[in-house]
Amino acid sequence: MCLAVPGRVLDIEERDGTRMANVDFGGVVKEVCLEYLPDLQVGEYAIVHVGFALQRLDEESAKQTLELFATLGMLQEEFGDPWEMAAEAGGTLPPEEEGARR
Amino acid sequence: MKYIDEFQDPDLARRLLDDIHSTVTRPWALMEVCGGQTHTIIRHGIDQLLPEQVELIHGPGCPVCVTPLEVIDKALEIASRPGVIFCSFGDMLRVPGTGRDLFQVRGAGGDVRVVYSPLDALRIAQQNPDREVVFFGIGFETTAPPNAMTVYQARRLGIRNFSLLVSHVRVPPAIEAIMQSPNCRVQGFLAAGHVCSVMGVEEYPELAERFRVPIVVTGFEPLDILEGVRRTVAQLERGEHTVDNAYPRAVRPEGNAAARAMLEDVFEVTDRAWRGIGVIPDSGWRLSAKYRDHDAEHRFSVEGIQTREPAECRSGEVLQGLLKPHECEAFGTLCTPRTPLGATMVSSEGACAAYYLYRRLELTPAPREASPVV
């Protein structure tokens, strides 16, 4: 949860009076709030934590970090299915959900 | 140096290590505050690559681990109520409360949902106006601004069925508590990089001066950790104790002004209990009076919960850097990620989980008598 991942801004729009963006994290695209970095532009990179851009990052550092996180499986930790991961770690899903898992 | 080839830039890693090895003349104990840094250290065997004189002590910087049992039990109680949709980050699902966890509450019919962002929980509240939607707001200074923004948005948009169960914590008071502990061995800190991305470094010079301890802002990648250690050791060897930023690509001295302003508006500083450690003065945030309507503790009556910590769990000592995970008798036997006694074994940033994942086969639990490595 404390992991903050660099991502690249794909597009920006105003929603409910809030500046939001689609951000690409090495192939996974998530909605991100830009209210704390209102100057961030399409194509720029930022460190994103729980759906909020918190600090700008230069492209080279961002790419290196993303590559490293992917190699270490940390992107899966951040963006994978948390119920599935919790079940694998030792819990048991209710029976009706076993079939629903991908 | 068995792990060094796995570094992103092995040559740079070797140069940093050579520099540290040639600088050290006596023993130093450094604490990495952040649980994410602990995982990097253990995963890459950084502690084993450093000179013997440099000891890394794992700090309390895992938000899931330090959330008090009482708050976990309140979350479980609220999540079990009919009409409630309880939203949380995924890493809280298997953190043990007294007798159960959120995963089991869901199995018993509770509407527990995992969200990526607190704004997702707010959207669920918009879509379910006849339900009470509660978001579990835990975390350090990195996570608090997103949660603050979400409460601000709920108020701005008039979304009344959204509340936050708040258990936010702050790093500087924890550093102060660690340094004031009579058992403290810490001589230098690797400060948590992303906390500083938000808060900047302004809170640290006073601490560095008062406790005569170097504080080096450090990132999360293996090379970042080596650079943080290199700079901290260099200061210690020179007899210095200043604040240094070894993570400038993500940390500006002033942090993120907009996020800090929102924190000040939505939250107010309060004393907070840390699991396994106890109450640290001024170490947390709670919602300020203006936002009390969105405080789940205010909205739901959850007083008088009886908590029960497992007697065998020594995670409090692990969180204070007084005990290494494998020195606990329950490590890997009574306590595993499948049967965790405490949050440090299940959290993705927990120190016990790091040792279990990456170091278990090399370590034995605390020897009752010296036992052979299994």
Side-chain angles (χ1 to χ4, degrees):
Chain A
M1 187 190 83
C2 228
L3 183 66
V5 182
R8 180 173 174 268
V9 177
L10 298 176
D11 54 53
I12 297 173
E13 67 167 354
E14 197 90 351
R15 195 177 318 137
D16 278 347
T18 305
R19 196 170 160 81
M20 301 292 292
N22 281 309
V23 172
D24 178 12
F25 303 94
V28 181
V29 176
K30 289 272 179 193
E31 253 186 6
V32 167
C33 177
L34 300 188
E35 287 291 307
Y36 290 139
L37 279 185
D39 300 336
L40 200 65
Q41 300 298 325
V42 171
E44 286 190 297
Y45 286 81
I47 290 177
V48 175
H49 178 56
V50 298
F52 283 73
L54 291 179
Q55 201 57 264
R56 260 195 181 75
L57 201 61
D58 65 274
E59 179 170 350
E60 193 191 340
S61 322
K63 283 183 172 164
Q64 277 185 10
T65 303
L66 270 174
E67 195 182 309
L68 178 74
F69 283 6
T71 312
L72 299 177
M74 287 160 84
L75 292 180
Q76 175 61 22
E77 261 174 41
E78 184 76 358
F79 300 120
D81 180 343
W83 292 106
E84 206 166 299
M85 285 189 276
E88 277 167 16
T92 312
L93 283 178
E96 74 271 17
E97 300 212 0
E98 287 291 339
R101 280 164 49 188
R102 61 192 147 107
Chain B
M1 294 196 180
K2 57 181 172 171
Y3 297 94
I4 203 162
D5 293 336
E6 295 172 16
F7 279 66
Q8 193 172 30
D9 184 342
D11 291 338
L12 178 55
R14 197 162 276 120
R15 283 204 299 278
L16 290 169
L17 278 164
D18 286 347
D19 191 321
I20 296 167
H21 277 267
S22 65
T23 307
V24 169
T25 62
R26 59 208 139 126
W28 300 112
L30 320 183
M31 175 176 274
E32 87 276 2
V33 173
C34 167
Q37 293 171 336
T38 302
H39 272 251
T40 301
I41 288 163
I42 304 305
R43 189 173 212 158
H44 290 85
I46 289 173
D47 52 334
Q48 296 173 330
L49 294 170
L50 292 171
E52 261 178 34
Q53 298 105 309
V54 178
E55 182 188 1
L56 291 176
I57 299 177
H58 314 310
C62 161
V64 174
C65 303
V66 299
T67 302
L69 185 58
E70 192 191 358
V71 176
I72 307 275
D73 282 347
K74 283 178 180 174
L76 296 167
E77 164 69 24
I78 293 170
S80 303
R81 295 205 183 163
V84 168
I85 300 173
F86 192 87
C87 299
S88 169
F89 295 130
D91 43 13
M92 292 305 285
L93 295 179
R94 297 210 55 252
V95 175
T98 303
R100 57 184 178 157
D101 59 32
L102 281 172
F103 198 89
Q104 290 163 330
V105 167
R106 191 199 193 205
D111 195 345
V112 179
R113 302 189 193 180
V114 173
V115 293
Y116 163 66
S117 162
L119 287 177
D120 297 339
L122 189 62
R123 192 171 311 142
I124 292 172
Q126 277 177 301
Q127 291 161 349
N128 295 273
D130 55 336
R131 307 274 299 276
E132 280 290 329
V133 175
V134 182
F135 181 70
F136 202 173
I138 70 149
F140 283 91
E141 291 94 327
T142 326
T143 323
N147 293 346
M149 174 66 76
T150 305
V151 173
Y152 170 83
Q153 296 285 3
R155 189 165 180 269
R156 187 177 68 83
L157 298 168
I159 301 170
R160 293 173 188 277
N161 62 325
F162 177 84
S163 59
L164 201 64
L165 178 62
V166 186
S167 190
H168 282 301
V169 276
R170 304 170 58 231
V171 166
I175 288 183
E176 189 174 346
I178 287 163
M179 290 310 294
Q180 283 172 339
S181 156
N183 301 319
C184 176
R185 296 192 297 119
V186 179
Q187 294 162 295
F189 284 96
L190 309 182
H194 289 153
V195 162
C196 299
S197 291
V198 171
M199 300 304 289
V201 298
E202 292 165 10
E203 294 177 286
Y204 292 133
E206 190 266 334
L207 288 171
E209 184 57 40
R210 177 149 52 111
F211 297 109
R212 304 184 66 78
V213 65
I215 300 177
V216 178
V217 178
T218 303
F220 301 86
E221 295 167 32
L223 293 172
D224 290 330
I225 306 271
L226 288 180
E227 176 64 5
V229 170
R230 189 185 73 81
R231 293 195 194 193
T232 312
V233 167
Q235 279 204 46
L236 287 166
E237 289 285 343
R238 290 195 302 262
E240 294 173 2
H241 48 272
T242 64
V243 177
D244 185 15
N245 182 4
Y247 193 37
R249 67 182 186 276
V251 174
R252 321 271 179 271
E254 70 284 2
N256 182 318
R260 291 177 68 178
M262 183 62 76
L263 284 173
E264 269 191 30
D265 177 47
V266 174
F267 292 127
E268 61 192 20
V269 169
T270 184
D271 297 347
R272 199 160 281 292
W274 295 50
R275 189 168 187 173
I277 297 176
V279 173
I280 302 178
D282 293 337
S283 69
W285 277 303
R286 65 177 172 205
L287 287 165
S288 60
K290 195 163 127 189
Y291 295 92
R292 190 87 5 116
D293 286 351
H294 294 285
D295 187 341
E297 292 205 53
H298 182 64
R299 192 172 296 202
F300 298 87
S301 172
V302 282
E303 297 308 314
I305 283 176
Q306 297 292 314
T307 60
R308 197 182 67 253
E309 293 274 6
E312 304 89 346
C313 182
R314 300 177 71 188
S315 59
E317 291 161 82
V318 172
L319 289 167
Q320 292 172 80
L322 304 175
L323 187 78
K324 291 270 163 66
H326 65 284
E327 292 164 358
C328 170
E329 286 194 358
F331 176 82
T333 54
L334 201 55
C335 183
T336 70
R338 274 181 180 273
T339 57
L341 291 176
T344 46
M345 185 55 96
V346 278
S347 167
S348 57
E349 286 133 39
C352 298
Y355 276 73
Y356 191 89
L357 277 173
Y358 309 121
R359 202 62 70 71
R360 174 171 44 110
L361 298 177
E362 302 163 31
L363 301 165
T364 49
R368 286 165 201 181
E369 298 163 2
S371 54
V373 174
V374 181

